[in-house]
Amino acid sequence: MAQYEPIGTSMAQYRPIETSMAHYEPIETSMAQYRPVETSIAPYEPRETSMAQYKPVGPSMNQYGPVWPSTSHHAHGQRLVCAAANEAGAAPAEAELTLEVLFPPSPPVIEGLESPHVRAGDTLRLVCVVQGGNPPPSLHWDKSGRPLAGPWVREGPPGVSRSHVTLTVTPEDDGAELRCSVGGVASGGGVANGGGVASTSVTLSVIYPPAEVTITGTPTVAENGTLTLTCTSAPSNPPVQLRWWLGGRELVTTDPAHTWGEGRGSVTSSNVTLVGRRQDHGRPLVCEAAGPGLGTRSTSLVLSVTHPPQALWLEAPPPNVTFRVGTRLRLSCHARGGHPPPRLAWTKDGRAVKEGPQVTGAGSVVTRELTVTVTPGDNGATYRCQAGGGAATPNRGNAPPPPSVSTRLGVLFPPLSVAITAAPPEPRPGQPLVLTCLAGPARPAPTLRWLRHGRTVPGEPLPAAPGAFGGVTAGTRLRLLVALEDQGHGVTCEATSPALGVAVSAAHRLLLRHAPQFGVGAGTLVVALEHGAAQLPLGVVAHPPVESCAWSRAGHALRPEGSPRLRLLGGGALSIANVTRGDAGTYRVRCQNAEGGASTHLRLRVHYPPAIVRAPDPVVVDEGGEGQLLCQAEGSPLPPGSLRWARLQAPGAQGLPAELTPEGGLPTGRLRVSGARRELGGPYECRVDTGVPPPARAIVRLVVRYGPELEAESGAEPVPVLVPDRSDTAQLRCRAQGVPGVQLHWEHRGHALRPDEARFQEHQWREGPWTSSLLTVANISQDRARLRHQFHYLNWDQYKKRPRYQYLNWDQSQDWDEAQNRTLGTFVCVAQNPLGTVRRRLQLQLADRPEPPRDLRVSGVTPSSLGLAWSPGFDGGQPQRFLITVTGPGAPPPPAAILAPGPTLTLGGLRPATPYDVTVRGRNARGDSEAVAIRGVTSALPQDLPPTMREEPATPPLGFAVPPALVAGLGALGGLVLLLLPAAMLGAVFWRRHFRGGASDTPPGRVKKGEEAEGGGDTPLNDYSDAPQNMEMSSTGSWVTPGDPHPWGELHPYEDVAEWGGYEEVRRRVPPPEPPVTLQGELV
């Protein structure tokens, strides 16, 4: 059976839809039935259709059941099931679908607004509600066409959409329309995209008071004057009523006017007219706006009523009093009462003057002072004080002018000017001259007199005339007969005021017409600097002024016109630029004016700086000889003492050495040298300073010749030169002096070094009289290898071939450097110049740190000592010793160490059967080598051995195996040793005393250091327990610390110890005596 299941079906509300289902059954027909799921709707009855309408695949019978369910919005979301059953099946086959019905929402409703009448400042919380709708609608708020933000939600089945908006009411919202729109709703044919929009709206009516109340107009009025003011309210809804109040009483106003303001508000205005009364001054004037339900709002200002002061008076000098010019007067003006307080102003003859600040005193009295310094212009002047009204007083009408008071001054002053006139103005010598003097104005009239050459000359008085500022002008006349000697002299007219004690004067300078006269005498000398400017002054006196001056030199006329160097100055003086030596000489000049002519002459001398024309350099003198230094100069001038000699490069030197004597003068100077010493060699300065800059100077070198001399060295030749540690190159330095300059070269093995030898490189330079040479020797490694081979070729362990008990001292008296450390060669530094040749030998020696010792081994073991031996490493070219450090019980703690001269050492005072770590380093003047280490173990005491070991021979140390066949012989030998032990000890003591040369006073097991005994106690020879921790460096075998200096002093003798073999233990509890211990490694 084939079954088809629909996925889903959408229907618009009230639009039927036909649904069918095909069911195929091969044998018999089946009945299909529709039924809704979870509803109470009755089953739908299918209907049969003809098979001819359908074409099923295969032999079967088809049955179709169309159904038309309701498309009401109540069916939205229901499931529709189609079931098919026949007799063959136990259970019917079913197919289902879910109905999707598109339907519009209900119209929107605005909630939360009780009334469209609201107050400004209220907060509105509105909700737009829409019921149902599929798909869910979208809600939008706007105010007067402008969108508002607001969220919307959908709540519960069948679904409710809400959109909230919060709005604070302002006066501008009056008349605004709030609208809620629904978008995206379904229509009859489907979903409307942007169409089918439903909306609802509400228009707000806002009640608000006026924002402010203002009064326009000036609140100032003159007494008995009128004043009109206007009160205006800001827009309000509804309109307000305006009322005026003055000092608590209501004023009668004109009818208010109402106009529309911005938006929908109403503006109210009202006018009031006042009459100025003195008692209303200072009272508040209030305008009040009131409206139903709006409250009140008001504004106010203070009324000002102006009136003049009650009294006005002056503090001034009394009339008819006079003052001297320059007197300071103080005038005070006072006023009482008035509103506003009167402003006092001073004037002088109707013009304002600068005055002091106004001061308010007690009792409503104001004062303004005026300080006057009396001048002639104040004579008869009127000073007035006027009381103004201060601020502007409108509506004054024909009011009288403000009150004022005044005073008049009288001044005494001397003549303001004194003037002299001459007739004729410029007389010639011998002509009469009339001078007239006028002095004034002055109060009172002055007294006049004439002064000439400091004496009073009588004149003719003239009648007085009125003058300015109420003064008078006086005059006098003087007659003179002038001569040429009066040219430029003055005549004075003096005017005196006896009442004031002041005199004023004027002078007249006599100008006489005459021919030129020269103030500079004939033959005047003029000095100029070369390349500078020279001015030949005339000092000509003439009236009228000189018209022309003609200059000449050596009979040739000079023409300044067009010349780059010559220029004619005012008064006839001649200026010469860029003066040369050829400009020197005598110059003549002739000057003329309208009255005649005259001539004179002047001399020009040109100064130029000195120059040295001859100074031979250098001057060569043999050491101890004589010579002279020459210096010849020229210049203008050349005064005596302007040539001087000085020695250069001699800081702190005072004067010339005694061997140098200046001779001669100018223009040639000499410096004589007697008994020349090499220290006198160097530069000398000849300096000529004539006072004309710049001074001249010349450097003359004095060369004192002497033979070559090498720089001093400490020690005898050949001078040792050590090669740096581990370096592959070495440098030899040589320095010599001499005049003429020294030439240095090197010799090796009797031959001069060739420049082409790659192993040797020379660098040579000069420093004054010194010549230095640096010779670099390369490839030192091959010489180091050669010396190392020579070192190892010698048998350092040859002392082992000596007999077992043959003790010798370490021989330190041999020439260690020649026998064991051959030098790398001797080089000769040769210094020569034309006066001689000198040589110096330098010996190149190797100086490396020593190499580590080799083949370190334990050569002998006892219960209290260890014998050590090693092969010395290469000593690096320097004598070496060996630094031994022991670590273990009983050994001194670090940094204590033992310094040994040779490759063997016996450590005593140790503990039995105890391991010790021993390190050995080589040491020479360059430093220490790397360390080598070994661990040694002392043997056990016989009584401490196990029983099994007491009956068998002890195993020798260092791995030496004893054959079994020798065990019996060793036992017998042990018994023999016990028998011979006392005799051996006595023999050893006797031998030690005999061999040590008188040391028998020291008991066995004791040691002396030089001539000092260590305490004289029973301290064992090699006991380390009492070793001093801060010992100074002592003889070989002493304890030292790594920080101590290398002890290269005299070595103390030591005893040689042969290699240690095994020993045989015996059963006796008495320990065997220790073998003789050497001084090597001994604690001092």
Side-chain angles (χ1 to χ4, degrees):
M1 179 180 66
Q3 182 175 358
Y4 297 88
E5 266 187 33
I7 298 176
T9 303
S10 300
M11 297 178 290
Q13 190 175 12
Y14 309 118
R15 181 179 180 184
I17 183 171
E18 181 178 345
T19 303
S20 62
M21 181 173 181
H23 184 79
Y24 299 90
E25 193 64 41
I27 301 178
E28 55 184 83
T29 61
S30 62
M31 298 299 292
Q33 184 178 19
Y34 286 96
R35 61 183 176 83
V37 180
E38 298 177 358
T39 64
S40 60
I41 303 175
Y44 299 97
E45 293 296 336
R47 67 178 180 177
E48 295 186 1
T49 59
S50 173
M51 296 292 294
Q53 300 178 9
Y54 307 98
K55 296 179 181 181
V57 181
S60 61
M61 295 184 64
N62 300 333
Q63 185 173 15
Y64 296 87
V67 67
W68 288 266
S70 172
T71 58
S72 171
H73 68 276
H74 299 290
H76 174 67
Q78 291 185 353
R79 289 189 300 163
L80 189 61
V81 179
C82 176
N86 64 4
E87 297 177 356
E94 295 182 352
E96 66 178 38
L97 57 82
T98 302
L99 295 181
E100 181 76 21
V101 180
L102 303 179
F103 60 93
S106 63
V109 177
I110 296 176
E111 298 178 354
L113 184 63
E114 298 178 358
S115 171
H117 300 284
V118 295
R119 288 182 175 273
D122 292 347
T123 300
L124 302 182
R125 294 178 176 83
L126 306 181
V127 182
C128 181
V129 182
V130 175
Q131 301 287 337
N134 185 38
S138 60
L139 305 180
H140 306 280
W141 284 92
D142 64 79
K143 183 178 72 172
S144 299
R146 295 189 298 274
L148 297 177
W152 65 277
V153 297
R154 184 176 178 85
E155 301 176 350
V160 177
S161 298
R162 301 176 184 269
S163 178
H164 300 264
V165 68
T166 301
L167 179 66
T168 301
V169 180
T170 62
E172 289 78 11
D173 294 332
D174 185 27
E177 182 185 30
L178 293 178
R179 180 177 297 276
C180 176
S181 303
V182 182
V185 301
S187 64
V191 178
N193 295 326
V197 177
S199 65
T200 183
S201 64
V202 62
T203 300
L204 300 179
S205 177
V206 182
I207 299 174
Y208 56 93
E212 61 179 352
V213 179
T214 58
I215 298 176
T216 57
T218 303
T220 302
V221 61
E223 188 176 11
N224 300 322
T226 58
L227 173 66
T228 300
L229 301 174
T230 301
C231 180
T232 306
S233 69
S236 64
N237 184 26
V240 297
Q241 297 295 326
L242 300 178
R243 302 173 66 186
W244 290 88
W245 301 85
L246 178 60
R249 61 186 177 89
E250 186 175 1
L251 303 178
V252 178
T253 63
T254 59
D255 294 334
H258 300 282
T259 59
W260 291 105
E262 296 181 0
R264 297 179 51 180
S266 176
V267 177
T268 304
S269 61
S270 175
N271 297 330
V272 66
T273 300
L274 299 175
V275 176
R277 299 185 304 174
R278 184 172 295 191
Q279 59 270 25
D280 292 333
H281 173 69
R283 291 180 177 178
L285 180 63
V286 180
C287 178
E288 180 182 67
L294 299 179
T296 61
R297 190 177 298 271
S298 63
T299 184
S300 65
L301 50 79
V302 178
L303 186 62
S304 176
V305 180
T306 63
H307 54 275
Q310 298 174 358
L312 181 66
W313 70 97
L314 284 179
E315 289 185 13
N320 303 323
V321 175
T322 58
F323 301 95
R324 294 170 58 94
V325 67
T327 303
R328 291 175 60 88
L329 299 179
R330 187 176 66 177
L331 307 179
S332 299
C333 180
H334 306 281
R336 180 186 299 114
H339 179 77
R343 182 184 182 279
L344 305 179
W346 282 95
T347 61
K348 174 185 175 182
D349 293 334
R351 298 185 302 274
V353 295
K354 186 176 180 180
E355 54 195 357
Q358 181 168 300
V359 179
T360 301
S364 301
V365 176
V366 295
T367 301
R368 184 179 294 274
E369 292 184 352
L370 176 65
T371 301
V372 179
T373 301
V374 177
T375 64
D378 293 326
N379 184 41
T382 299
Y383 283 85
R384 184 177 300 277
C385 175
Q386 180 176 340
T393 56
N395 300 325
R396 181 179 298 274
N398 297 323
S404 64
V405 291
S406 63
T407 185
R408 188 181 181 91
L409 300 181
V411 181
L412 302 178
F413 53 93
L416 300 183
S417 67
V418 177
I420 300 176
T421 59
E426 295 179 352
R428 290 183 174 85
Q431 288 185 342
L433 174 66
V434 178
L435 300 178
T436 302
C437 175
L438 296 178
R443 186 188 180 199
T447 301
L448 304 181
R449 68 169 181 165
W450 291 95
L451 298 174
R452 184 182 183 191
H453 303 301
R455 298 189 300 271
T456 301
V457 179
E460 301 175 8
L462 299 177
F469 309 120
V472 294
T473 300
T476 183
R477 181 178 293 120
L478 178 64
R479 302 179 186 274
L480 296 175
L481 186 64
V482 294
L484 184 59
E485 292 77 11
D486 295 328
Q487 176 75 337
H489 291 178
V491 178
T492 302
C493 175
E494 183 181 82
T496 305
S497 297
L500 300 176
V502 176
V504 182
S505 63
H508 175 74
R509 183 169 175 268
L510 299 178
L511 293 178
L512 282 70
R513 298 177 65 90
H514 61 89
Q517 292 185 355
F518 298 100
V520 179
T524 300
L525 177 64
V526 178
V527 178
L529 294 177
E530 186 180 23
H531 305 302
Q535 182 174 342
L536 303 180
L538 285 183
V540 61
V541 178
H543 189 75
V546 174
E547 297 176 356
S548 64
C549 290
W551 289 86
S552 63
R553 177 174 174 271
H556 299 283
L558 301 177
R559 302 186 182 278
E561 300 82 3
S563 174
R565 299 176 53 237
L566 302 179
R567 185 164 60 95
L568 197 61
L569 305 178
L574 180 64
S575 175
I576 305 176
N578 193 16
V579 176
T580 63
R581 303 177 188 180
D583 292 332
T586 301
Y587 290 79
R588 295 186 176 275
V589 60
R590 179 173 180 81
C591 296
Q592 281 188 319
N593 68 351
E595 301 295 325
S599 61
T600 187
H601 69 277
L602 298 91
R603 291 183 300 117
L604 175 64
R605 178 180 295 173
V606 179
H607 285 184
Y608 52 91
I612 297 176
V613 297
R614 182 166 176 254
D617 175 66
V619 176
V620 180
V621 180
D622 289 338
E623 189 172 16
E626 296 183 354
Q628 69 176 3
L629 283 69
L630 182 67
C631 181
Q632 184 175 355
E634 67 175 11
S636 174
L638 288 176
S642 57
L643 188 150
R644 296 186 178 184
W645 291 91
R647 184 180 184 184
L648 302 181
Q649 299 179 351
Q654 299 293 333
L656 294 172
E659 295 84 354
L660 302 177
T661 305
E663 296 180 353
L666 288 172
T668 303
R670 296 176 178 83
L671 183 63
R672 182 167 300 279
V673 183
S674 302
R677 295 180 289 110
R678 67 180 65 179
E679 293 80 5
L680 301 180
Y684 289 81
E685 179 187 59
C686 170
R687 182 182 178 89
V688 180
D689 188 357
T690 62
V692 180
R697 61 189 298 265
I699 305 299
V700 180
R701 292 169 297 168
L702 175 62
V703 179
V704 180
R705 302 196 315 166
Y706 56 91
E709 295 180 359
L710 290 169
E711 188 176 30
E713 290 282 353
S714 60
E717 294 189 13
V719 178
V721 179
L722 302 181
V723 179
D725 185 22
R726 304 293 190 268
S727 176
D728 194 48
T729 61
Q731 292 181 338
L732 294 90
R733 293 176 174 80
C734 184
R735 192 164 182 256
Q737 67 174 348
V739 179
V742 175
Q743 295 293 330
L744 298 177
H745 69 274
W746 294 86
E747 295 179 354
H748 183 49
R749 297 177 181 174
H751 301 283
L753 296 180
R754 299 191 306 272
D756 57 350
E757 293 190 62
R759 189 182 181 190
F760 305 104
Q761 295 182 359
E762 182 190 8
H763 175 59
Q764 192 169 140
W765 68 94
R766 292 183 182 274
E767 298 173 346
W770 290 92
T771 302
S772 302
S773 177
L774 179 66
L775 179 64
T776 302
V777 182
N779 201 10
I780 300 298
S781 58
Q782 67 179 8
D783 297 288
R784 185 179 287 108
R786 175 177 56 82
L787 294 179
R788 185 183 293 108
H789 174 73
Q790 293 177 358
F791 179 85
H792 292 307
Y793 179 78
L794 298 174
N795 186 6
W796 282 79
D797 293 336
Q798 57 187 341
Y799 64 91
K800 295 181 180 179
K801 300 179 182 180
R802 302 169 186 166
R804 178 179 180 88
Y805 297 107
Q806 181 180 358
Y807 298 95
L808 297 176
N809 288 335
W810 186 270
D811 189 3
Q812 295 293 329
S813 62
Q814 56 183 331
D815 189 353
W816 176 264
D817 185 67
E818 288 294 328
Q820 303 297 337
N821 186 24
R822 300 174 186 174
T823 64
L824 303 184
T826 300
F827 295 82
V828 179
C829 174
V830 181
Q832 59 184 175
N833 72 353
L835 300 182
T837 301
V838 292
R839 286 177 169 82
R840 173 171 291 164
R841 293 185 303 139
L842 293 92
Q843 193 175 66
L844 189 61
Q845 297 180 0
L846 194 65
D848 292 346
R849 288 183 300 167
E851 295 182 354
R854 300 178 292 106
D855 193 21
L856 177 62
R857 57 195 179 275
V858 178
S859 60
V861 179
T862 68
S864 61
S865 65
L866 288 175
L868 302 175
W870 60 88
S871 297
F874 178 48
D875 58 5
Q878 296 289 319
Q880 71 169 336
R881 295 186 180 185
F882 301 96
L883 195 68
I884 297 92
T885 304
V886 183
T887 304
I898 299 175
L899 193 64
T904 59
L905 179 68
T906 300
L907 299 174
L910 306 181
R911 298 180 182 179
T914 303
Y916 290 90
D917 293 328
V918 182
T919 60
V920 181
R921 293 181 177 86
R923 170 178 287 185
N924 65 4
R926 282 289 186 180
D928 297 346
S929 70
E930 296 181 359
V932 295
I934 193 173
R935 170 168 286 191
V937 182
T938 57
S939 60
L941 293 175
Q943 60 270 25
D944 295 336
L945 297 175
T948 57
M949 296 297 296
R950 296 175 183 175
E951 298 179 0
E952 298 179 0
T955 303
L958 301 178
F960 182 79
V962 181
L966 298 179
V967 173
L970 291 175
L973 181 60
L976 182 59
V977 169
L978 292 176
L979 295 177
L980 297 178
L981 181 59
M985 292 180 63
L986 294 176
V989 171
F990 174 79
W991 176 83
R992 286 171 60 92
R993 292 180 177 177
H994 176 75
F995 189 76
R996 297 290 182 175
S1000 58
D1001 54 340
T1002 303
R1006 304 292 185 268
V1007 64
K1008 291 202 311 178
K1009 177 182 178 182
E1011 297 299 331
E1012 298 178 4
E1014 286 293 327
D1018 296 333
T1019 305
L1021 181 63
N1022 291 335
D1023 188 3
Y1024 298 102
S1025 59
D1026 296 332
Q1029 299 298 321
N1030 297 311
M1031 289 293 293
E1032 297 292 336
M1033 184 64 71
S1034 62
S1035 61
T1036 302
S1038 300
W1039 288 107
V1040 297
T1041 59
D1044 293 335
H1046 297 297
W1048 301 131
E1050 181 183 358
L1051 301 179
H1052 283 229
Y1054 76 99
E1055 294 177 0
D1056 195 29
V1057 180
E1059 294 186 2
W1060 186 261
Y1063 66 91
E1064 183 176 342
E1065 186 62 64
V1066 297
R1067 297 182 180 273
R1068 294 180 58 186
R1069 292 293 182 179
V1070 179
E1074 297 182 4
V1077 181
T1078 68
L1079 290 178
Q1080 180 181 3
E1082 209 167 66
L1083 188 67
V1084 293

